[in-house]
Amino acid sequence: MKRSFDWAVTDVGEEPAARVAARTIRKRLEAVWSELRAVCRLRHEPERVHQLRVATRRTIAALTAFEDLLPAKRRRWFEKHLRRIRRAVGTTRDLDVLTGQLANESPAQDRIDTGRIAARARHRLVSMLAKRRDLSRRPIREVREALVAADWPGRVERLVDALATQTETVPFSAYARRRFPLLLDRFFVRADCKLKAAAEIHRLRITGKKLRYSLEIFAPVFPATNGHACLEALERLQKTLGEFTDHASAADRFHRWSREDGVGPDRDVLATLRRLEDQRAERARRAFVKWWKPARRRALRKRFERSLRPGRKSA
């Protein structure tokens, strides 16, 4: 997997913000197009599917970060189609994760959580998931075909040219110090809520991802030590939250499949797997709540605020 700062445009100095925006957005849109082409060309590469979904999220974050510099109509077009890509690839990614998890599950772990699942039933379910995963790739190919017809590469060039030819000369450092605090406030509004429902935890995870991907963009402006420390804290937050949301999502899928017609003898197995994932989700939720204390949130905010103080420069 790419290191997070590999997505940043570095050595920006006092370059105009619009020019940095043009380079950043081109880099991320080209990454989406490259990964989309690879996913459609290769029969089954779970890591490329994962990288495509990550690339769409990072690119949407870039469009949000530079929102006030972008032509609104063109920005909205890319946001709409990036979300379509993300939704199309999301189902495939979820099935990749479930298939791999079920294929590699430890029987001992099953006994601990819900009682052993017969190897034959496990094999049937892995085969079922694999078929669903293969079918789920069709919408991804359809999305790419539509974007080829809509001239995605040409639209990228026109968007980037609109930025690169702006006469606005606000330095990137000044723009970052004005823009990033707004994104930071959105995150802490969400982070300070009481996280009782699964949907609230999921929203915090998404907001945290957006902040993390924005930090990658604006990182060259802030002190390197603090920037890396903030990024590591956000990555740990994502990992902790991800364990909960992955298990909660799996439980929901197993529940829905168990209610479908034609599942026959696998209905009880699917119900067992749902209970297993519910138990794991609850353990992950308790671990997160125990870790995400008010003191930790205050410390993270202070770390960000130290980085944002005027006069501090990147190391």
Side-chain angles (χ1 to χ4, degrees):
M1 183 180 294
K2 295 175 182 286
R3 286 179 55 82
S4 294
F5 279 113
D6 290 347
W7 287 86
V9 172
T10 57
D11 301 323
V12 292
E14 292 303 293
E15 208 176 328
R19 198 171 300 167
V20 177
R23 291 164 56 199
T24 302
I25 289 171
R26 176 190 291 279
K27 185 174 185 178
R28 295 193 178 201
L29 285 171
E30 287 178 348
V32 170
W33 198 237
S34 175
E35 295 295 346
L36 180 58
R37 186 171 58 248
V39 167
C40 292
R41 185 180 68 248
L42 301 171
R43 184 176 182 277
H44 179 57
E45 286 286 344
E47 182 57 25
R48 301 308 289 264
V49 171
H50 174 57
Q51 288 301 330
L52 174 56
R53 185 159 71 166
V54 171
T56 61
R57 292 189 184 281
R58 280 190 161 102
T59 306
I60 291 171
L63 295 174
T64 300
F66 295 111
E67 181 178 11
D68 55 350
L69 298 177
L70 293 165
K73 186 175 180 179
R74 289 176 178 162
R75 173 181 56 79
R76 287 195 296 268
W77 187 90
F78 277 103
E79 287 176 341
K80 180 177 73 173
H81 289 284
L82 285 164
R83 290 190 178 100
R84 285 182 177 174
I85 297 171
R86 189 184 67 201
R87 286 194 297 269
V89 80
T91 299
T92 303
R93 175 57 183 169
D94 290 346
L95 289 168
D96 279 338
V97 171
L98 282 176
T99 303
Q101 182 184 58
L102 192 57
N104 299 314
E105 196 81 282
S106 164
Q109 184 64 41
D110 283 345
R111 285 195 297 272
I112 291 171
D113 290 317
T114 59
R116 185 170 183 173
I117 298 170
R120 184 175 297 176
R122 183 186 299 278
H123 179 73
R124 284 199 310 270
L125 289 173
V126 169
S127 297
M128 179 194 77
L129 291 176
K131 289 177 182 177
R132 288 177 183 251
R133 181 185 60 197
D134 290 343
L135 290 173
S136 74
R137 299 173 76 86
R138 187 179 301 163
I140 303 174
R141 291 191 290 270
E142 291 172 353
V143 167
R144 183 173 185 272
E145 289 169 3
L147 292 175
V148 169
D151 188 26
W152 171 284
R155 288 176 181 269
V156 171
E157 292 303 322
R158 290 190 287 276
L159 177 66
V160 171
D161 286 347
L163 283 166
T165 57
Q166 282 189 21
T167 58
E168 177 62 63
T169 58
V170 174
F172 177 65
S173 58
Y175 180 84
R177 292 186 182 282
R178 183 184 77 222
R179 184 70 181 154
F180 188 69
L182 301 176
L183 304 174
L184 188 64
D185 286 343
R186 292 179 191 175
F187 168 75
F188 278 105
V189 166
R190 181 73 63 194
D192 289 335
C193 293
K194 293 183 178 180
L195 303 172
K196 295 182 178 179
E200 293 170 337
I201 295 176
H202 179 68
R203 284 194 290 268
L204 175 61
R205 185 189 186 196
I206 297 302
T207 307
K209 282 185 177 181
K210 290 179 180 178
L211 182 64
R212 173 184 159 198
Y213 298 152
S214 298
L215 177 58
E216 292 170 1
I217 294 169
F218 295 125
V221 171
F222 304 123
T225 301
N226 277 356
H228 281 285
C230 291
L231 186 63
E232 288 173 359
L234 290 174
E235 288 175 341
R236 184 174 177 186
L237 172 66
Q238 292 303 304
K239 184 177 183 300
T240 309
L241 284 171
E243 291 177 4
F244 167 78
T245 54
D246 286 349
H247 292 307
S249 175
D252 180 65
R253 282 190 181 274
F254 287 134
H255 175 63
R256 284 187 281 114
W257 289 337
S258 71
R259 297 169 66 88
E260 290 180 2
D261 294 333
V263 295
D266 292 328
R267 193 180 305 277
D268 290 342
V269 176
L270 288 167
T272 297
L273 287 169
R274 179 200 176 184
R275 290 195 297 273
L276 169 64
E277 294 299 333
D278 277 336
Q279 290 172 8
R280 290 174 173 173
E282 178 57 21
R283 285 200 296 267
R285 187 196 66 80
R286 289 198 299 266
F288 171 73
V289 170
K290 183 178 180 180
W291 177 75
W292 191 236
K293 295 290 188 183
R296 188 178 298 278
R297 297 198 295 274
R298 288 194 298 270
L300 180 60
R301 183 153 203 160
K302 286 180 180 178
R303 183 172 289 157
F304 273 113
E305 289 172 347
R306 284 197 299 270
S307 296
L308 293 169
R309 286 172 189 164
R312 299 207 64 174
K313 297 181 180 179
S314 59

